[in-house]
Amino acid sequence: MSVGGASDTVLKLADISVRFPSGADWLGRATSHVHALNGVNLDVRRGETLGIVGESGCGKSTLAQVLLGLLQPSAGQVTGAAAGDESALQIVFQDPQSSLNSRMRVWRVITEPVFARQRKSTSELRRLAVELAAKVGLREETLDRYPHEFSGGQRQRIAIARALSSDPDVIVLDEPTSALDISVQAQILNLLEALQRDRNLTYIFISHDISVISHMCRRVAVMYLGQIVEIGAASDLLTRPRHPYTQLLLGSVPTLGEEGLGELIEDTELPSNRRLPSGCFFFDRCAFSKPVCRQPQRLIAGVRCCRADELANAGFP
Amino acid sequence: MRKSVLDIDNLSLEFPVYGGAVSAVNRVSLHVQEGEIVGIVGESGSAKSVTAMTAMRLLPRESFHIRSGRITLLGHDMLALDEQKLAAMRGRDVAMIFQEPLTALNPTKRVGAQMLGVIRLHTRLSEREARLHAIKLLTDMRINDAEEILQRYPFELSGGMRQRILIGLAFACSPKLLIADEPTTALDVTVQKQVLQLLRKKARELNTAILFICHDLAVVSQFCDRLYVMYAGSVVETGPTRAVLSAPQHPYTRALIRALPESARPGQALRSIRGVVPNLTDMPTGCAFQERCDHAFEACSSIPPLFSLDDEKRASACWLCEKEHAA
Amino acid sequence: MTEAPATVKRPRIDLGYFRYQLKRSPLTIVGLTMVAFVLIVVIFAPVFATHEPNAIDLRARLAPPTLDHFFGTDEVGRDIYSRILYGGRQSIAVGFFVVFLAGLTGTILGALSGLIGGRTDTIIMRLMDVVLSVPSLALILALAAALGPSLINAALAIAIVRIPFYVRLVRGQALIVREMAYVKAANTFRAGRLHILRWHILPNTLSPVIVQGTLDLGSTILLASALSFIGLGAQQPTAEWGAMVATGRNYILDQWWYSGFPGFAILFTATGFNLFGDGVRDMLDPRQKAR
């Protein structure tokens, strides 16, 4: 694994904000905005697996779309070696059911990124398909079938093969194993790791599953309400969370063998992303909030919490 | 000895399809006692949902064929019960909650109207009493502004809120059994934890038994008293949750736990289970797991019954366990 | 592992599965049999016909059904049985022509509308609304009157009226497909619109269009017959079911066979296509096979 220095950044997000208009007055002007991303700064380094964790509505899917260049940010810039180069970026979606066209034969599906952009002879495409199928562990004789004839795990292999076909540098993995069974998940995760080693791929691994993130990623970013609230090395962040939200999140993850569910969580409702809070976004749900938290929070040393050090020293009283 | 709520004995069920039949459920026996929280874990195709749906007779009539077995729910023979009695039981003695709370609510009616409708269908409460009852149910589910929530439409609420409403409603008539089919799978972890906490608290209060269907071993390990592990339509192992998960006996259960990402160190390859689930239209004779099992031997080609391992309801459907135990 | 096996192909249609589906819905078999019967009889009309369809025999005017004339004769002694066989060619040809024309035009317009969206979509859909808002029979009458009464013009008129149904169907399907993850994936590798149209939208709209077309065949045949009935379709002496019913109407009290048999032919064919169409709908979705 070649984790380069800060210079080896494949993608760099600088102060990215995305807001969608919502509602309209009689002139068709938006009456309010949904704030999906609120100032995201992120460096993606070549060859790494960067985990992005968060619950629904935290903006991780929007972030994926910005990374892939499918969505123009309302503010901020995406730069880096892979930015704007469509063959350098690929995606694997969560649901292998809807991410493969059931009317295309598998070899067509796999080579679609290639023949969509340039004319290639059928035999060339087939050769590529055979090669990729072998890489992801699909049998060659299945290439003429249709996706619906495959199990979920095999369909995800097909999706991975498709992502590989344009020989990308970066693959965004959007919950790639969330729809799969545990035994199949293990196969797919192993496959992803092997492919990364072979091809020096960079993964951006989006998931809500902490155990999968912790297994796959060296670096993790935690998102809440369109912001990164904590970012750092997986080994530190997942064992010693510094942001109260990270702590709540990790504390809620069920673990095998532990009995009981602990103290009752009282408030689980997210604040609206139409009218953003002025201070800390986590203020209302935070067990440690103080009046000082009413000021806007900045990401300092990987944590977006002005009381992070104070709380860490006190061991989260 | 506690009273039995649900008894499924030796149930086998198949779905006729083109060119044969899918043997979805094979000789499944499952028991739930009063006030007990029982989990069914399994991967897709293990028939965990089908088993529960059959217990409530929720499958379309012509779509399946029962080969053997009986189902007794609160003393009624569920396979013979007439529709009228069945309808009366559903919602009152037995309640259900599902994975996607949005589909269980009518999008065109306010939450209040829907809750009151259900409550008054099964009880003799007046409009006002029913309303108070609904508010109490919601408050118990940690919904603070219950009055206001009753005025809202389902789509205005978050997934977690909707699921809490449905759980509250499920408990409206203090049912004897609650069947929960992946109730937290669509929810975020923080919400999932809260929902599980509330679900368990309320069930204990009312002495309601829960049959909890889930694919997530970790969730089951925290939530259930006892569990059944299912594979390809059969129960492969059962026992108290802690005992089964800390010292699994059946090779499948062991392999499943080993395949979890938390069972490996980061960077280390995960131990997946080789092969695939057997084709349910063409099941091997004998143990369903034999082709993927590292320990398979001659005996595995004949069907393993559930071998009792110790006195406390622990059992495993594996010839190997039987051999080791006898030795 | 480098050579591509270009010859290994699985058969496109699984005959066994087809048979299984048919067995599950007996009405489809009934429909299929009816359609097949009509098509065979009509295509091989010269073989089955006992007389020339336009041969006049004034000695045998308005004769009741006999062994010589199975369905009797008309007012100039032409054999009704033979005329029904030949007349079916007109009606069924109109049916296929209309469905093909409307289906093709509708698919193209609908796909463009759904794929491009924006102003193109608005223009196409408003145009379709205009077509839809005029009562179809009135529009057909106007068109047929303007273009002159002939079967071809009637067919054109019916086709135009039918186009909006296909446009709406295909546009709806295109909008669904556009939101599928595989199209989002195609967007990440910057596939062009034509690519998305060719590989994603069209293949996924084909089945619903075929189903709609099969169902439409029945009603188009009815409509074409109706136009001929009021004199805007086939002209004398061409044999056509609707036209035959129309002339036969004058004799309905005494010579029931004159309009009775062609009428039954229309009913039989339309019913056949409708039953068959319903069955096709259940069969054409490959995703149902997985179940």
Side-chain angles (χ1 to χ4, degrees):
Chain A
M1 216 171 294
S2 66
V3 180
S7 60
D8 212 5
T9 300
V10 272
L11 274 177
K12 186 180 176 65
L13 303 190
D15 208 18
I16 298 288
S17 291
V18 173
R19 49 178 210 169
F20 302 108
S22 128
D25 62 9
W26 58 278
L27 278 177
R29 292 174 304 201
T31 47
S32 65
H33 285 91
V34 172
H35 298 265
L37 290 180
N38 306 301
V40 172
N41 291 295
L42 192 62
D43 287 358
V44 184
R45 299 169 195 158
R46 190 175 299 280
E48 76 168 343
T49 304
L50 171 66
I52 296 182
V53 201
E55 300 185 284
S56 46
C58 74
K60 48 189 202 286
S61 306
T62 311
L63 183 67
Q65 293 194 42
V66 171
L67 286 166
L68 289 163
L70 291 179
L71 197 66
Q72 275 306 319
S74 321
Q77 269 184 332
V78 188
T79 51
D85 178 2
E86 45 272 12
S87 65
L89 279 160
Q90 284 291 341
I91 184 163
V92 174
F93 288 103
Q94 168 178 1
D95 179 16
Q97 205 79 29
S98 75
S99 70
L100 308 175
N101 186 348
S102 62
R103 305 261 169 194
M104 270 162 101
R105 286 176 197 277
V106 167
W107 69 273
R108 281 274 178 205
V109 172
I110 291 179
T111 55
E112 196 190 346
V114 176
F115 76 80
R117 298 181 47 79
Q118 48 188 300
R119 291 189 78 84
K120 281 262 166 98
S121 71
T122 306
S123 62
E124 259 179 294
L125 290 176
R126 284 203 67 107
R127 208 171 301 130
L128 178 65
V130 169
E131 193 186 305
L132 289 165
K135 288 246 159 58
V136 300
L138 283 171
R139 284 201 321 255
E140 188 181 327
E141 59 269 28
T142 60
L143 286 178
D144 277 305
R145 299 201 186 152
Y146 290 95
H148 63 86
E149 298 175 52
F150 292 82
S151 68
Q154 281 174 309
R155 272 195 285 251
Q156 208 58 311
R157 285 174 195 271
I158 297 171
I160 292 169
R162 174 174 65 189
L164 291 175
S165 71
S166 68
D167 203 11
D169 299 325
V170 183
I171 300 184
V172 176
L173 302 163
D174 190 357
E175 306 263 6
T177 60
S178 300
L180 304 179
D181 283 325
I182 296 161
S183 60
V184 183
Q185 163 172 292
Q187 294 168 6
I188 297 295
L189 293 181
N190 286 343
L191 171 68
L192 288 171
E193 292 220 301
L195 290 169
Q196 182 174 42
R197 275 195 302 275
D198 281 2
R199 303 191 155 213
N200 193 27
L201 289 166
T202 306
Y203 287 154
I204 297 166
F205 201 113
I206 300 173
S207 181
H208 70 277
D209 188 330
I210 305 289
S211 62
V212 171
I213 287 282
S214 124
H215 181 77
M216 294 293 290
C217 308
R218 301 297 157 270
R219 221 153 59 88
V220 180
V222 181
M223 291 188 68
Y224 185 77
L225 221 62
Q227 286 186 331
I228 292 178
V229 293
E230 187 167 357
I231 184 166
S235 49
D236 293 340
L237 191 148
L238 297 177
T239 48
R240 289 184 301 279
R242 292 160 67 204
H243 194 283
Y245 173 68
T246 317
Q247 184 156 49
L248 173 73
L249 185 69
L250 296 180
S252 305
V253 175
T255 42
L256 197 65
E258 234 172 72
E259 206 163 358
L261 293 161
E263 276 173 59
L264 192 61
I265 298 180
E266 290 289 341
D267 191 7
T268 54
E269 291 295 302
L270 279 174
S272 159
N273 56 4
R274 279 162 206 265
R275 204 171 303 127
L276 292 172
S278 59
C280 175
F281 285 11
F282 191 56
F283 187 85
D284 293 332
R285 289 175 69 191
C286 186
F288 312 105
S289 51
K290 285 256 171 81
V292 294
C293 305
R294 290 211 181 268
Q295 61 181 341
Q297 304 287 313
R298 285 182 306 137
L299 196 63
I300 299 167
V303 202
R304 196 182 288 271
C305 173
C306 58
R307 297 189 65 216
D309 290 332
E310 185 191 331
L311 287 170
N313 290 334
F316 286 95
Chain B
M1 188 73 190
R2 286 194 286 185
K3 262 204 314 207
S4 188
V5 176
L6 171 68
D7 287 298
I8 299 177
D9 291 300
N10 198 33
L11 180 74
S12 291
L13 173 151
E14 59 186 27
F15 297 105
V17 291
Y18 163 53
V22 174
S23 317
V25 181
N26 301 304
R27 297 168 300 277
V28 165
S29 293
L30 185 150
H31 308 277
V32 181
Q33 289 177 337
E34 211 177 32
E36 199 183 20
I37 301 183
V38 175
I40 308 183
V41 252
E43 301 182 287
S44 45
S46 64
K48 50 190 193 302
S49 292
V50 174
T51 307
M53 301 266 276
T54 316
M56 276 312 291
R57 279 247 308 270
L58 283 174
L59 299 171
R61 227 162 216 290
E62 300 80 23
S63 69
F64 67 100
H65 169 70
I66 303 252
R67 278 209 316 263
S68 73
R70 47 183 295 127
I71 301 173
T72 317
L73 185 58
L74 301 170
H76 299 282
D77 179 356
M78 288 306 279
L79 298 177
L81 202 66
D82 64 67
E83 287 292 337
Q84 229 175 348
K85 285 198 180 128
L86 197 65
M89 272 181 88
R90 287 185 191 144
R92 193 190 61 201
D93 302 324
V94 187
M96 280 157 290
I97 41 177
F98 299 100
Q99 176 173 342
E100 185 31 73
L102 194 54
T103 51
L105 289 166
N106 182 343
T108 62
K109 286 173 80 180
R110 289 178 205 276
V111 170
Q114 299 191 52
M115 286 191 77
L116 262 52
V118 174
I119 293 171
R120 297 196 65 196
L121 183 71
H122 294 292
T123 62
R124 286 157 181 243
L125 296 179
S126 71
E127 176 93 30
R128 232 190 99 245
E129 288 165 330
R131 185 165 205 92
L132 288 175
H133 190 44
I135 290 171
K136 161 111 179 44
L137 291 169
L138 292 185
T139 316
D140 283 353
M141 286 295 125
R142 288 295 188 277
I143 294 171
N144 298 327
D145 37 3
E147 290 268 14
E148 203 231 309
I149 294 293
L150 288 179
Q151 298 305 316
R152 301 272 205 99
Y153 287 97
F155 64 85
E156 299 176 299
L157 307 170
S158 71
M161 181 72 86
R162 287 195 291 257
Q163 195 62 295
R164 280 187 283 160
I165 290 171
L166 284 170
I167 292 172
L169 194 55
F171 284 112
C173 307
S174 310
K176 290 273 165 283
L177 176 68
L178 174 69
I179 296 178
D181 192 348
E182 306 261 7
T184 61
T185 304
L187 306 178
D188 285 322
V189 279
T190 50
V191 185
Q192 163 171 285
K193 184 170 179 181
Q194 188 198 32
V195 165
L196 291 174
Q197 287 168 334
L198 293 169
L199 193 55
R200 188 153 78 175
K201 187 162 170 283
K202 191 80 184 177
R204 295 286 193 235
E205 266 172 39
L206 299 173
N207 201 25
T208 299
I210 300 181
L211 185 60
F212 187 81
I213 299 155
C214 191
H215 71 283
D216 189 330
L217 285 171
V219 169
V220 168
S221 86
Q222 296 201 329
F223 187 67
C224 300
D225 305 325
R226 213 153 56 74
L227 68 82
Y228 290 85
V229 182
M230 290 189 72
Y231 178 76
S234 314
V235 171
V236 294
E237 186 162 3
T238 175
T241 309
R242 297 220 79 182
V244 172
L245 293 180
S246 59
Q249 294 290 335
H250 196 282
Y252 172 68
T253 320
R254 278 190 240 166
L256 199 59
I257 292 172
R258 273 206 307 257
L260 290 171
E262 49 264 51
S263 302
R265 266 179 293 120
Q268 198 181 27
L270 294 171
R271 298 174 67 175
S272 60
I273 308 177
R274 67 186 160 89
V276 291
V277 180
N279 185 349
L280 292 176
T281 54
D282 184 23
M283 290 282 277
T285 49
C287 174
F289 191 60
Q290 55 180 310
E291 277 158 29
R292 305 175 74 183
C293 183
D294 293 331
H295 312 282
F297 62 118
E298 318 85 70
C300 298
S301 53
S302 45
I303 296 162
L306 269 176
F307 297 112
S308 170
L309 294 176
D310 47 39
D311 308 328
E312 43 168 323
K313 295 182 191 164
R314 186 93 200 269
S316 161
C318 177
W319 289 106
L320 193 72
C321 302
E322 161 70 3
K323 203 166 85 177
E324 280 171 0
H325 225 67
Chain C
M1 285 291 269
T2 46
E3 271 313 296
T7 47
V8 189
K9 288 251 161 118
R10 287 158 49 86
R12 217 170 227 284
I13 295 159
D14 180 353
L15 271 182
Y17 179 75
F18 190 68
R19 250 180 262 134
Y20 165 76
Q21 276 289 358
L22 281 182
K23 227 178 278 170
R24 285 213 314 189
S25 59
L27 275 181
T28 312
I29 306 190
V30 175
L32 182 66
T33 320
M34 289 164 80
V35 168
F37 174 77
V38 170
L39 287 181
I40 288 171
V41 162
V42 160
I43 289 168
F44 297 104
V47 181
F48 294 110
T50 51
H51 297 75
E52 270 295 305
N54 293 331
I56 295 172
D57 181 1
L58 290 174
R59 284 165 306 166
R61 292 171 56 215
L62 297 170
T66 57
L67 274 183
D68 185 32
H69 299 288
F70 296 148
F71 294 169
T73 60
D74 64 8
E75 77 278 15
V76 289
R78 293 176 295 196
D79 181 48
I80 290 179
Y81 166 71
S82 303
R83 283 180 69 77
I84 286 179
L85 295 193
Y86 279 95
R89 293 181 150 191
Q90 309 288 331
S91 311
I92 289 167
V94 167
F96 278 101
F97 174 76
V98 165
V99 166
F100 177 76
L101 193 68
L104 188 72
T105 323
T107 304
I108 293 171
L109 289 177
L112 288 178
S113 190
L115 184 66
I116 300 172
R119 193 168 292 172
T120 318
D121 182 36
T122 314
I123 292 173
I124 293 177
M125 291 320 286
R126 290 300 82 79
L127 211 64
M128 292 305 125
D129 286 347
V130 170
V131 177
L132 275 177
S133 62
V134 181
S136 57
L137 205 60
L139 191 65
I140 292 171
L141 284 178
L143 280 168
L147 299 169
S150 82
L151 201 56
I152 267 288
N153 290 344
L156 268 178
I158 301 172
I160 289 172
V161 180
R162 282 279 151 196
I163 287 174
F165 295 97
Y166 290 91
V167 174
R168 287 188 161 189
L169 180 75
V170 173
R171 176 178 176 266
Q173 197 72 13
L175 290 181
I176 294 170
V177 171
R178 230 172 55 167
E179 291 307 311
M180 299 298 278
Y182 52 77
V183 174
K184 286 190 193 145
N187 287 331
T188 64
F189 46 77
R190 306 292 190 278
R193 272 184 186 154
L194 263 180
H195 172 91
I196 288 170
L197 185 70
R198 158 76 181 80
W199 289 101
H200 298 302
I201 293 182
L202 286 185
N204 280 296
T205 43
L206 201 61
S207 309
V209 167
I210 288 176
V211 171
Q212 175 77 39
T214 322
L215 287 170
D216 260 8
L217 277 172
S219 51
T220 310
I221 290 169
L222 267 180
L223 206 52
S225 303
L227 283 187
S228 296
F229 180 82
I230 54 176
L232 291 172
Q235 302 299 307
Q236 291 289 358
T238 319
E240 203 278 343
W241 294 345
M244 289 168 76
V245 176
T247 0
R249 197 183 47 159
N250 302 326
Y251 307 93
I252 195 143
L253 288 178
D254 300 312
Q255 285 84 26
W256 57 268
W257 56 87
Y258 191 167
S259 52
F261 285 112
F264 180 74
I266 295 171
L267 177 74
F268 186 85
T269 311
T271 311
F273 275 112
N274 275 329
L275 290 178
F276 181 57
D278 277 334
V280 167
R281 170 172 41 211
D282 299 335
M283 265 181 282
L284 263 184
D285 193 351
R287 271 155 297 191
Q288 289 188 340
K289 262 196 217 181
R291 276 168 217 152

